[in-house]
Structures are given as C-alpha cells and as structure tokens.
Amino acid sequence: MSMTSAREYLERFANLDLGRAARSGVPEVVLAEGKTAEQTMAIARRMLDQVGRVLISRVSPEVRAALQEAFADTVEWTVYSEGRTLTLSKPGIAPPQRGGRVGVLTAGTGDLPVAEEAIALCIEMGCAIWRASDVGVAGLHRLFEPLRAMLDAPVDVIIVAAGMDGALPSVVAGLVDVPVIGLPTSVGYGFGGGGVGALTSMLQTCAPGLAVVNIDNGIGAGAIAGRIANRAADARRLR
Amino acid sequence: MSMTSAREYLERFANLDLGRAARSGVPEVVLAEGKTAEQTMAIARRMLDQVGRVLISRVSPEVRAALQEAFADTVEWTVYSEGRTLTLSKPGIAPPQRGGRVGVLTAGTGDLPVAEEAIALCIEMGCAIWRASDVGVAGLHRLFEPLRAMLDAPVDVIIVAAGMDGALPSVVAGLVDVPVIGLPTSVGYGFGGGGVGALTSMLQTCAPGLAVVNIDNGIGAGAIAGRIANRAADARRLR
Amino acid sequence: MSMTSAREYLERFANLDLGRAARSGVPEVVLAEGKTAEQTMAIARRMLDQVGRVLISRVSPEVRAALQEAFADTVEWTVYSEGRTLTLSKPGIAPPQRGGRVGVLTAGTGDLPVAEEAIALCIEMGCAIWRASDVGVAGLHRLFEPLRAMLDAPVDVIIVAAGMDGALPSVVAGLVDVPVIGLPTSVGYGFGGGGVGALTSMLQTCAPGLAVVNIDNGIGAGAIAGRIANRAADARRLR
Amino acid sequence: MSMTSAREYLERFANLDLGRAARSGVPEVVLAEGKTAEQTMAIARRMLDQVGRVLISRVSPEVRAALQEAFADTVEWTVYSEGRTLTLSKPGIAPPQRGGRVGVLTAGTGDLPVAEEAIALCIEMGCAIWRASDVGVAGLHRLFEPLRAMLDAPVDVIIVAAGMDGALPSVVAGLVDVPVIGLPTSVGYGFGGGGVGALTSMLQTCAPGLAVVNIDNGIGAGAIAGRIANRAADARRLR
Amino acid sequence: MSMTSAREYLERFANLDLGRAARSGVPEVVLAEGKTAEQTMAIARRMLDQVGRVLISRVSPEVRAALQEAFADTVEWTVYSEGRTLTLSKPGIAPPQRGGRVGVLTAGTGDLPVAEEAIALCIEMGCAIWRASDVGVAGLHRLFEPLRAMLDAPVDVIIVAAGMDGALPSVVAGLVDVPVIGLPTSVGYGFGGGGVGALTSMLQTCAPGLAVVNIDNGIGAGAIAGRIANRAADARRLR
Amino acid sequence: MSMTSAREYLERFANLDLGRAARSGVPEVVLAEGKTAEQTMAIARRMLDQVGRVLISRVSPEVRAALQEAFADTVEWTVYSEGRTLTLSKPGIAPPQRGGRVGVLTAGTGDLPVAEEAIALCIEMGCAIWRASDVGVAGLHRLFEPLRAMLDAPVDVIIVAAGMDGALPSVVAGLVDVPVIGLPTSVGYGFGGGGVGALTSMLQTCAPGLAVVNIDNGIGAGAIAGRIANRAADARRLR
Amino acid sequence: MSMTSAREYLERFANLDLGRAARSGVPEVVLAEGKTAEQTMAIARRMLDQVGRVLISRVSPEVRAALQEAFADTVEWTVYSEGRTLTLSKPGIAPPQRGGRVGVLTAGTGDLPVAEEAIALCIEMGCAIWRASDVGVAGLHRLFEPLRAMLDAPVDVIIVAAGMDGALPSVVAGLVDVPVIGLPTSVGYGFGGGGVGALTSMLQTCAPGLAVVNIDNGIGAGAIAGRIANRAADARRLR
Amino acid sequence: MSMTSAREYLERFANLDLGRAARSGVPEVVLAEGKTAEQTMAIARRMLDQVGRVLISRVSPEVRAALQEAFADTVEWTVYSEGRTLTLSKPGIAPPQRGGRVGVLTAGTGDLPVAEEAIALCIEMGCAIWRASDVGVAGLHRLFEPLRAMLDAPVDVIIVAAGMDGALPSVVAGLVDVPVIGLPTSVGYGFGGGGVGALTSMLQTCAPGLAVVNIDNGIGAGAIAGRIANRAADARRLR
C-alpha cells in the first residue's frame, strides 16, 4: 500500500485545524472527576500560566480544599453550584467579551448544578447570561416572567435544563422563536430514570427549534449555545 | 400433597368473583384485530342477544363492511375514529346512565383514534364526556378554554392522550386537582418512538395526581377512568 | 476566597410551592434524599411555620437524628417504615378530614417502605386507610380476608404495591370493581430487576381498571389515590 | 500447534453423542416457517420414510395446501391450531407410549397456537396430556376445576402459556408441588409487548418451582416438559 | 347507518396552526405520511390559499401523482429527494429572504432524503444553503473541499446527517467553530441499527459545539438550524 | 417521640410461610441480604424451633459472625460458598431423604456461589447431588468425565450454571437426555454483562430440553430441579 | 412540472469509491438492497468497465432477473446463496491471487446466506476458502472433521457464523490457535432474537482470540478476515 | 463450628489452565478483580513456579502492596497503567519472541488503562508494540505521525481503543489496509455511557476491516491481535 493518500488527507486536515485552535472560541475545560487533586492542580497551574484563566468542573470538596490551599488569594475565584464548578483567573484577566446573549432556564432545583456548568462555560466564552430556576411544567405560571425578560433582551439562544419528564424544553420551544438547546439532567428515578426519560422526551419533541445534548452534559450545552450566541454577536459587533 | 389447601383458596376466590361480574361496570370489549370477520360477527351477535349492546375496537374496513352487510339497519350504529371503533345496539337499548363525568384531551390529531377507544368505553359505562383535541404543548394557548370547561362541569377525572414527547398529561396534572390518566399513544418515530418516549415521560412526571396505562391502551384508560367517575357518581346519586 | 455566589445559590434552591395544597389538593412533600440535614430542617421548619405540618420522605438515620435533636417534643411525630417516612406537626394541627377511603395492599414485606409513602401522603390528604401486607400471588390465600374488608368498607380506590413479578395488581383488579393503582417497587434482581419487571407486568395487565405510577413512586401513587378518593368523598359529603 | 488435544476432545464427545441420538427422546421438528413448500415436503417425505412420523410447525395455509395435495390420504393427519401445527404419520405408526403425564394451561385463547406446539411435541414424545384454556388471572375462578383434574391425575409437570402480564405461571407454581414450565407468548402490545413483559414477569416470579423458555418457544417447552415427564414415567414403568 | 359522527371527526382533524410562521419563524410542514391523498391535498390547498406556499414531506408516489393531477401547472414545484419532499407555491410567491446561511453535509447517499427535508425547510425559512454529499469517515479526503467552501462563506451553522456509526458530525465539530447540528438517520442494520448507533455516537461526542435531533428528524434539524442562521442574519441585516 | 408505629411495622415484617414445605415440597429460604443480623437471627431461631432446620442465603461476614455468636455449637452447621450460604439444624434433624438425584455443573469458578445456593436447597429437599466445577466451553475437555458420571448415576436433572457467554447449558443439553436447568450468573462485564448475555444465550438455545431461571437465582434453580428430581424419585420409591 | 432537481440528485447518488481496492485491499461491494434494478445495473456496468469484476449482495429475484437479461452471457457469473450474492466478471478477469487462507464455519443452515457474503468477498480479495456448514453446538460431533481439515491447511483465520445462542464461535476459539471472527446472524426469535443474543454471547466469550462484527455483516467479516489472511500470505509469498 | 466445607471449596476454586499457552498461544491472565490478595498471590506463585511468568490485571493498590511485600526483588516487575496491570517474572525468563508487530492507538488518555491490558498481553505473546495516545477525532491532526510510523513498520494489526463516540477505529480502518481491532472502553456518561455508545458505533462502522471485542476487554483485544500478528510473523520467520 502506498502511504501517499492517507498522508495527504491527514496533512490537509492538520492544516485546516491550525486555523481553528485560535478561533474556535471554546476554551478547554478541566474535568476534575476521575483526576487526583495533584493532577487537577498541575493542569490548572499550567492553564493559568498559559491563558490566564481556567474553568474546572465536577470538583469534589477534597479537590476544592486542595485548590484553595494551593492558590488561595493569588487567583480570583468564581464559584458555581456549591463549589462543584469553579473558575480561577489571574488578577485582571477577564474572558474576552464576545457579546453573545444566552438564556438559561432550569425545571427544578436539582437541575442547577448541570445548568451552571453551561453558564460557566458561556461566561468563559464571553457571553452575557439571563437565567431563571425552578420553572418546570408542574408550576407553569412561574415561567412567564423570566421568559418575557429573555425575549425582551433579546437572547440569542435559550438553554433549558430539565430532568424527570423533560417537558420544559418542548414547552419553551413552542413559545419562542430563538433556538433552544435541551439539556437533560440525571434527575429522576425508576423507569426512564437517570435522565433517560428527559432525553427521550426532548428527542420526541413536537415543538420546532429544539436540539439536545447528552444527559448532564452541561459543558456541551454551553459550547453550542456559546457558539450560536457569539455567531449572532459577531454580526451585531460588525454593525 | 393434599389438594385441600389449593382447593379452598380457589373456591373462595370463585365465590368472591361471582359477586363481581354483575357489578364491575366494565363491559367486555370485542377486539376485532386478529380475528376474522366471521369470528367478530359471531361474538357481536351473541353479545347483542345477551346484553343488547356491543363495543368493537380495532375494526378494519373489511370487517366493518362485513358487519354492515350482516347487521345493516337492524341495529343502531355509533361510529368512532373513521370507523375503527364501533358500538352496535339493539333498538332502544342505551347504556345505563351511571352519571360519571370524564374529560378527554388529546395532544395531536394522531392521538384521536386511541382516545376514542377510551371515550367509547366510558360511554358504554354510562359516563358523560367532555372532550377537546389538538391542545399539545407546542401550542399551549389552545389548552385553556377546554380545560376551563372541564373544571366547570366539573369532571371527575381527565384522560390525556399524547404521543411524541408525552408532555401534555404532566402539564394538565399540574393545573387541575382531579385525577389524571395518562394515555401514551404510539405516535412518534426514531429513538423513543412507538410511544416509548411518551410513556417514559409520563412515568417521570413531576406533577402530582397522574397515573398511566400502556401505549395505545385506550380501552384500559377508559376502564379506570370510568371506574373513578362512576365511583364519584354513585356518591352523587345517593344524595 | 469569597463564597458569596455559592451561598446565593443555596438560598434560592428551595423555592417551595407552599400554595400547592390549596390549588391541587396534594400537599408538598419534602424529599430528604439528596439534601443535607441542614437543608431538610430548614425546609421542615418553614413548612411547620406556614402550614403547620410537613411530610418528609426518604429520611436517613442521620437526618432523622438531626430532626429529633432539632424538634424533639415541640412537634408531634408520626413515624412510618422504620423511620424512613415521617410526618411532623404542630400540636393540634391534624390534616383536614376529607373523607376519602383508600385501600393499600403489598405483595411482600419488601414493598412496605414504598407503600407507606403512599399511605402517609393519603393521610395528609385527609383519607382513611385500609391496609394489608404480604398477600402476594405465591400465597394467594392470604389475600382473601383483607380484600373482603376493603370491599365492605367500601374503599374508593386500592393501591397495590408489588415488586418482582408484579402480578398482584392484576389479580386484584380482576376481583374488584373499584379503580386500582399499581405501584411497582424496586424489589427484584437479575433481568427485569429494580422494578422493571413489575412495571412491565402491570402495564401489560389483562384486568380492567388498573393504572400505574413509576417504580418506587409511593408519593405519586398516594397523590392520585388521594385525588380519586377525595373526589368520591366530596360527593358523599355533599349528601 | 499440535492438533492432538483438540482432536481428542472432539472424538470423545462424538462418542458420547452416538449413544444419545437413539435415546434422547426428542424427535426432530420441521419448522416450516422460512422454508418453501417444496423444501418442507422434501424433508417431510424423508422423515416419513425413515421414522414413519413427522411433526411440522408454523405451517402457512399455502404450505398446508401443498402438503394436502402431496400426501392426501396416504398419511394420517393430526391437525392443531387451525392447521398451524401438523403431524403426519404412516398408517399405524403411533408414537411410542412412554407414559409421561403433562398438564398444559393457557391464560388466553391467543396463547393457544404456541401451547399446541408444546402439546404436539409431548404427544410425539409419548406423553399423555391434560389441558385447559382461557384460565388467566383476570378470571381466576376458571382455574380451579382444570387444576384439580391435573393434580388428581397426577401430572408430572405443568406447562403454563401466557402472554400480556405473564402472571398465570406464578399463580400456578404457588398452588402446586410439581415443576412448572412458563411459556411466554408474544401476545401483548405497547411497552413490554411481543412477550417481553410476560417473559420478564415469569423470570421475576416469587413462586418456587418455575423455569421458563423463550417467547413463543412452544417446541422448547414441550421438549423439557416431555423429558421431565418421561423421566418420572420411566421410574413408574420400572415398578 | 349514519356516518355522521365519522365525518365530523374527519372535518376536525386538521386544526392547522396557520399563524405559526409569524410567531415562531418556522412554517408549518405537512407530513403526508399517514394521510390520504385527499387529506394531503385539502391541507395543501388551504395553505396555498392562506400563505401562498406549502412544504410537504414524506410524499409517496401515489400522493405525488394525485398532487400533480390536482395542481399541475397552476403552482410552481420544487422537488427534493426523488419526489419525497415537495414545495408548492403560487406563482411569484417566494419565501421571505431572511439571509441565514446553512451548511448541510451527508455522510452517505442514503442520508440524502432526510437531509433534504432539512434543506427544504431552511429554504422556506429564507436561508441560503451550502451542501455536499457522501463525505463520510470511510473516505475523509472527500470532506476537505466542501468544508473549506462552507467556512469561506461563512455559514452560520452546519447540519451533518449521518447513519451507521454517526462519526461524521464529531469529526466536523472538531474542525470548525460554528454550531453543528447532528442529524442521525435510520441508515444501518443489526445492533444499533435504525439510527440508534448514529444517535448514540453523536450524543457521546468528544467534540465541542454539537447538538442533535432525533433519528430521521430532518424537519427538526432544519428548524433549529434555520433559527440559528436567521438569528445571525438579522444581526447582519441590521448593519 | 414515640416510636410505637415503627416498632409495630417491624414486628409484622416476617409473616413467614412456615407451612410451605408441607404444601409445596420447597422449604422456605431466609434471604439474609437486606436484613439486619437481628432480623435474620430472629427468623432463624423461629424456624429452628418450628421445623428444626433453616437455610440462609446471601450471608455477609458480619451476619455470619453474629449467627456464630448466637448459635455456636447448639446447632449443626453446613457451610457453602465461603460462608455465603448456610444451613443450621437442630442436632439430629436431617432433611427428609426424598431420593431425587441432581447434577450440578458450573462453567467457571465465579459461578460457584450461585450454584451452591441451588445445591443447598436441593439437599434440604432431600436430593443427592453430583457436581463438577470449571468445565466451561473454553476448555471443553474437562467436561467429559463429570458428565459421564452424572449419566451413569443416572441423575434426574442437571443444573448448569454459567455467566459470560452462557454457552455451557446449550452444549450440555445437546449431549444428554435428561432435563437441563440453565442458571445464568452475573459473572460478566461490558455489553451483556451482569448475566444478561448468559440469560439471552440460554433463552436462544438450539438444544432441546433446556429451561432457565433468572440471573443469580440459585434458589429458583434448586426449587425446580428438586421438584423434578423428587417427582422421579417418588416413582422409584413406589416400586 | 419539471423533475430536473430530482433527476440531478439521482445522478449524484453513486459517487463510487472505485479506487478503494487499490488503497485498502477491500474491493467495493454493491449492496442491491434499497436500490432499483436500474440503479444496480448502472453501477454494475460502470464497475465492470473500470475494474472488470463486481460483487453484488442482497440481490432480490427481480433484480437478478434484470441483471440476467442485461448481461446474459457477456459476463461470467458466480452465484452464491440461492442467488442472493453474485459476482459478475468480464471474461478472463479473475481476482488477483493473494494467497490468504480463510476457514468458514456455520452453526446452522440459516446462517449460510450471510456466511456466503463473507466467502464471496474473501474470494474477491484473492483468498482460498475452507468451509463447513451445520456444525452447531447442538451436535458438536459434526465439528471435528472440518475443523481438523482447516487446522491441517492451515488456515490463517476462521470466520464462524452463528445465530440463536451464538455459542459456536466460543467453542471454536477455545479449540484452535488462529484468530476467530464471530459473525452473528439474525437467525433467532423472541427475547434476544434478530441476532442480539448471538452478538451478546460472542462479546461475552470466555475463549481467547475472538472478535466480532455486527449482526448479518457478512461483508464486514469477510473484509477483516481477508485482511488478516492476506497479511499472512504476503509474508509467505515473500519467502 | 467446623469450616471444613468452606475451606474445601476455596482450595478447588482455581483449577488453572496452565497448559493453555502451549495449546492456544495465549497465556493465562490472572484477573485480580474479585479475588483477595491471598488468592491472587497463591495463583501468581504457582504460575511463576510452573511457567516462570505471570500477567496480572485489574490490580488494586492493596493487592499491589501485598504482591510487593510477598515477592519484592525475587521477581522482575513490569508495571503498566499506574500499577493496574503487572507482569512478574523469574529472573531471566522473557516471553518467547514470536515476532508479531502490533500497533495500539488510544483516542483519549482515559482509554489508556484498558489499552495497556492489550499491550501487556501482546508482549507476553512475544509481539513488538508501536503505540500512540490521545489521537481522537476531536483533534485528528495528531493522528498523522503515529499512523505513518505504524504503516512504515509495518505493523500486522492495529488495536484502536476509544470510549465516548467510538469514532476513531472507523476513521483508522478507512485509512489503512491492515486489520483493525476496535476496543471500546467504558469512558463516557449519560445515554450510551459506560462504553455502549462506543461499542455500537464500532459495530455500525462504514469502514472495511474492523472487528470488535467487548467493552473494556483489553485482554480479549490483545489475544486476537497477538494471534493475528504471530500468524504473520510465523510466515515471516519461515522465510
């Protein structure tokens, strides 16, 4: 076999990719889950040195304590979700303001930790956030005020996090005309538990303009929402 | 082994059951699916002779034609769902008016045939029906008028038929204080299709007061709703 | 490091629906599982202040100990299921007596904790309870006496909790004329374990008048049974 | 690699097997499904020539017509299940009477065709059959008489065929002391349909002494029941 | 026999949401699958009268023939996917040009019919389309040129349709910085067939910026892509 | 706080079926899993008092230690599977010798603990046991000697325990003419792990005369094998 | 109505990878399933013109008839599996003889059509084939002779096709020292039917040296076996 | 209490297949998971005595510590994957050099521990290894250099380990002409997590020449790759 063809294809993609790293707009996220405190700290330190900021997700109390001892006041802290999601930054290093506008709704309070992974990533991507919690379909009347505020902004995209029956994203997508990203969470039990029911329900939506990411994939929801919002923001900025 | 114990148990249940047949209030339904036209007609004829009325479900056009030729005008016809569900009765033989009040909502037009199996059975059980179609979560504004009418009646129970994301029963159960029976239908495609998504979503409901039957089991939804409604109606009648 | 943001989120997490009982007839239930003892106590205290009673489910021994230390004799205790389900009430504050009558049967002793969630909620909804345990199909003769007592009452609805083969609800629904709510429990192992077999069997029932809730959803079973029973009771009360 | 070891093992099993064919007691069954009428007839003709009898299952009307034209009155016919299962035999060639006694119960009439595959095979294996149909849990009182007759015989094993909720085998195994073979059938719809619910329910049984075969595997149920019954019969015969 | 009731139901079946396009930016699509030619034509006629254009999906050859006979040259035709997806319009009635730019890639030729549902809807939503087919991972070298053209446009969003292993969307999302919508198709067989493998693979993506719709949901992919693209286009238009 | 209600429930929890052995030939087995040491001891003591023997399964080291302290030398011990399965008996109280002959084969050493549950129950049912371990299909040559011994006995039934690919029961059923009970174990990992692959493989068997019980249901396998063997033994005894 | 666009799409649908054989050693296979006779013939003609041979799989009788009429004696025919798999070649154009040696075993006759897809592809890849059919675990003694012949050759790899319990590949992999490719087929019914049981069983194998392809993927099994065999053959050829 | 029986069982538990390497070319691997340190050490000691080397997988830190204390410097250690996979050997006892050449690629760093099980086994089988990590589809440009090196070697087979979307094996199989073994790992979360998505994606591959083993079955991947490579190596050696 001649290696030429395989070599050619890979070379062209490598070149294509060289242009991407600079402009993809999705920063690397450090998943602390499955890493030791030492591993997490080493990566965090390297990223702080190189890009000045680092977003760390799924942080256990032990790892958070280790990070606090290691970095203390030498960095600025942003703490989400009872400390499960963290951003550390060198003093004065803020995310670039891209100008995207992202709405984030959660059906129940249990959906918050995952939704905040999305929020944290969108903030790192330079977006502004409009948010509201606990507006699920068992009490729809709580939905109207925050949704009105989001449409008045107007936001470029809405992330809707829901576990259990996963019905909220369909309801929202039927009421608005912006793209909606369904974020199923692992809240739930019994048959369809662990988020499977929520995911299934969102995939079966009757409402137009809804796409989904995997269960508990808050980072994934933030990445696509950030891309959507910044795409619109770039156009606005060029005015 | 002594047969005594097994014999005793069975005898006591047989006795218990003798009291039930007369008062269970759920008439036998003839499932035409999987039967020949001849078999269906033979059963229908026997039931007309014995109880004066017969409800036949899942009727194909061929079986309906055969029934029309066989019975023509000698019986009274009630035709549901493009002829898929039928009630035949001897002239003047109406169902006993038990007085239950049943609301029936469908999310989409595709849910109608299954919902009408429930309606037909509730009518045979002597209930009055309040109904509305095509009020799914992709257009929630259509839901409010019919739901208000049902609560004004007031109905004793609401059946909510939905396929796809199965979100409507949860929304309804969150808005009312009567029992709600979720009836998932096999409307849907892809992952969670064939009603699995709708069933899962209903089982995962966050709203209180919702129980479900199996996919496309309109007869089952009618049977429990009829029992619930007639229980309340009996109490009203005894006033 | 400022923990302000983390604290903020914590404060917002329990946007409790205190008005729900009035609107829906189903009081809010505090699910202790997944909450710290502090969170559970804070919610319990608020609900005691505002509505005088609180039902707490899935209580661990640690949380129960914390509750006992916090409230001791200043409240009245009702303890179900080896302390897993609890009701606390200010002295003299009983649930409103609505008058619904609910039967509760369990197939095995392992189904008891989940069944008692339903019982506790029905009691909070003002229903009276008829109950019997360990009457599953492997020893059907034990079913006779309690079932007769329920039909003599007569109860308005019967909840039947069963794990494993989930066969008992079908047997019961075939013997009675009241609505039956199947409550599958996660008792079981191997293929179809964790309650999936029981749920599936109940959804496939051949008997009329049976609807189901999700696996281990004792609260859900109690909510719909309470609504059904109180609907009938309202009619009786109006006589 | 030396072939010696592999060769040795296989040679020993081949020897073991030579003794089996004569005494296994389970005749070969011709599955007509998926074969042309020509293929089916060729096999039938060969078996009639060699062993004098042939059991053919899953026979379509077309294949049955072809068989009738080919064999007409030159063979003796035993026809089960509306012609779906057939036994052809040369005049005077009956199955050897082994003396096993097999009970066969079906929950609904839809379970009959599969149950009759088991019956036909047991008859070919030389067993006597006690049978009753339509004795499912939705009408348990019908179970008493036939079960008494089977226990009076007494039968050596009971096959219980059931679709839908698959509850009957558990009920029966709880009432008797002979081995019970659960035969799930593909009767059923929606979630757990196609026999999955029945199979799951039987595997989850709380009753002692129940084992199962795959969905619609009437031949498999007959084979194990025949082996069980003939084992007992051999002992009786040796008296 | 009076067929009144059946006729009534038929008349009510298509309670169309003609105002949706104005509210949500996504025009109503007529799903021909499951409708008779008469029903499809009636809806098409009404929509042509009211909004001047109609997009019809899942058109069978029979229905297409009926539409051709009914409308012939009185409307303008746009035919996609061997006639399976169609747009009819009154002369001179073009979709409003919103200005969104949508890229559409398909992994194999079998993914084309579903991808063209997305294309057709995006065109109705006023978007311009960049497209390329048969660029799956088994021959990645074909991907390079079309992807470069899309990034040069630049497109606002890329839909990537893939069945089988569903690997292409992940590869694309790793190479670009625009949002990517994964559209799993039911191309595939065996385990994970019918699109389940493709859907699963897309949900498990390692690449940032990918969200998915259900299997074969070309209309859903078009709806969210159209919303994303038009959001960006609105910003550009306002410059 | 009064714990009266909790205590009451505890007292009722073990409504034991002490008469079962007499009626069904299968003695009650105490499942220690999910019970406290106190609960297990209380039941064991009661059964020793009433029937003189007790079989306890799924015993943890803690519970075994507690049992040893409580009963020490006042009872006779039979210990299986590293102490996970135990039989306690009053001095001189042996199981009634019914005379059934049961063969037990295990594919791997990991299948032993579950197989020994079956062995222990068969011994309690008065059967004699022929057994061999580690004779799975990856080393078929080890199967020959033990299988010959079983067929020489001859045994009345063979239990074959296997996890992973579950192939051994099919191989055995193809080599013998006695009934075979497949006992899938939860040995296995990845797709089809936890015994699902083994169960599925056994249900799909091509060999005649194989029926199965649920995954890890050693007690269930013992119960049906014991019934089969004792049925044959009764006939032998009556000679 | 202009059908221009539909025609355009059709022309583009078969962007065939004619250079693949040179690069990857695996020739392109034409999957006739899902293509019209016209489409299949057009591709076949082009491949005959360009590479002189074409392998066509999943050929229906209609397509085969059309091919026969079109090509008749102008090409040489190799017909496998009752005409379901075909190779056409220009006179004198044989596959290049690479020298790989492939063994192919099938458990049952129903596995043959899929196994012959693998055989046909291996032949096109220039391999020699050793084959045997109907050697499944229900009659292991038939396995000995053909396996001995394969090990004597010796073959470089053995493909083992099996449906149902899928046990044969594990048995074979435990007896030989060459790589084994498990090819699960969709033969089977009920739970684990359609090949899922066979696939699962093979993935759970206890035997070393077995890898699998998807259900019914005969072409895939042939491709990897051909690559394995030709790798070894290249080394032999270089001697 | 006599623990005799328990001790007996323990002694029998490891009926090791010490002759396997000679017959099958794949040495026995000791799976430490599920064994006590004592059991693992006993087996290791016996294998060191008899064959001079032992490969131990899934070693916990506790077991590793025990092994270190027991064997210390009396054996030579090879440590893989943070100590999870180990080879111990008597001084001077190296694996026989068979000469196979195996490439191993991993998509992410999380796939490394499983891939190293394959590497360790291939080394014991006498193969040379070419390896590269972290070359998944989210950064395809990193794939080029290591793949070139493998094709230049040239390797006889490539193992590709991937979790999550499992896309890398398909991409690699589309670029090379050697056999590829897909090794799905349990890296992943949510729907399709635990490796199911990766496995499914690999089974659905569009690329030729890819076969798979079960999730996390590094030993299985090593066994087939080693067999493939040594087959080719034998041919080379015979030159």
Side-chain angles (χ1 to χ4, degrees), chain B residues 11 27 30 32 51 57 81 90 101 113 118 126 132 149-150 159 184 194 211 217:
Chain B
E11 268 162 16
V30 182
V51 297
S57 71
S81 294
K90 287 196 172 169
R101 300 172 193 143
M150 287 181 189
I159 295 168
N217 189 3

Side-chain angles (χ1 to χ4, degrees), chain D residues 3 7 10 14 17 214 217, chain G residues 141 144 148 151 177 189 191:
Chain D
M3 256 304 287
R7 208 177 299 147
L10 285 167
D17 188 83
N214 205 348
N217 189 4
Chain G
H141 56 291
F144 180 62
R148 179 207 298 257
L151 293 175
D177 70 338
Y189 58 88
F191 185 71

Side-chain angles (χ1 to χ4, degrees), chain C:
Chain C
M1 170 202 172
S2 150
M3 286 297 261
T4 316
S5 52
R7 216 173 304 133
E8 253 177 65
Y9 305 139
L10 277 169
E11 273 161 18
R12 286 182 200 157
F13 84 90
N15 201 2
L16 282 172
D17 192 355
L18 292 165
R20 174 183 284 176
R23 190 175 82 243
S24 73
V26 183
E28 185 82 3
V29 177
V30 181
L31 175 70
E33 201 171 63
K35 295 201 179 67
T36 64
E38 287 68 35
Q39 291 170 334
T40 304
M41 277 194 297
I43 304 174
R45 199 178 301 278
R46 194 164 356 140
M47 291 186 72
L48 282 168
D49 287 349
Q50 294 181 344
V51 296
R53 296 182 65 86
V54 58
L55 170 56
I56 317 178
S57 71
R58 313 272 164 109
V59 180
S60 66
E62 293 71 33
V63 167
R64 194 170 59 245
L67 288 167
Q68 278 178 301
E69 191 167 338
F71 294 107
D73 295 335
T74 65
V75 300
E76 287 167 1
W77 295 71
T78 313
V79 181
Y80 304 82
S81 294
E82 314 180 24
R84 216 179 72 126
T85 305
L86 293 173
T87 312
L88 308 184
S89 62
K90 287 195 173 171
I93 306 293
Q97 292 310 306
R98 292 285 300 275
R101 301 171 192 144
V102 178
V104 181
L105 295 166
T106 57
T109 48
D111 306 318
L112 213 58
V114 169
E116 290 201 326
E117 289 180 9
I119 289 173
L121 182 57
C122 285
I123 287 175
E124 293 305 298
M125 292 174 77
C127 298
I129 308 294
W130 279 250
R131 58 184 286 181
S133 292
D134 210 9
V135 296
V137 296
L140 267 184
H141 56 290
R142 292 189 292 257
L143 175 61
F144 181 66
E145 282 309 325
L147 197 55
R148 181 201 295 264
M150 287 181 189
L151 293 176
D152 284 348
V155 298
D156 300 311
V157 58
I158 302 178
I159 295 169
V160 187
M164 304 287 294
D165 54 30
L168 186 62
S170 291
V171 169
V172 171
L175 293 171
V176 304
D177 70 336
V178 292
V180 176
I181 301 300
L183 171 52
T185 73
S186 57
V187 173
Y189 59 88
F191 185 71
V196 171
L199 171 64
T200 309
S201 176
M202 295 180 198
L203 286 170
Q204 287 286 340
T205 186
C206 311
L210 173 63
V212 305
V213 296
N214 205 347
I215 300 162
D216 282 346
N217 189 3
I219 296 300
I224 185 147
R227 280 190 175 185
I228 293 171
N230 284 338
R231 195 84 195 158
D234 286 351
R236 276 194 295 272
R237 250 202 349 265
L238 292 173
R239 273 189 266 179

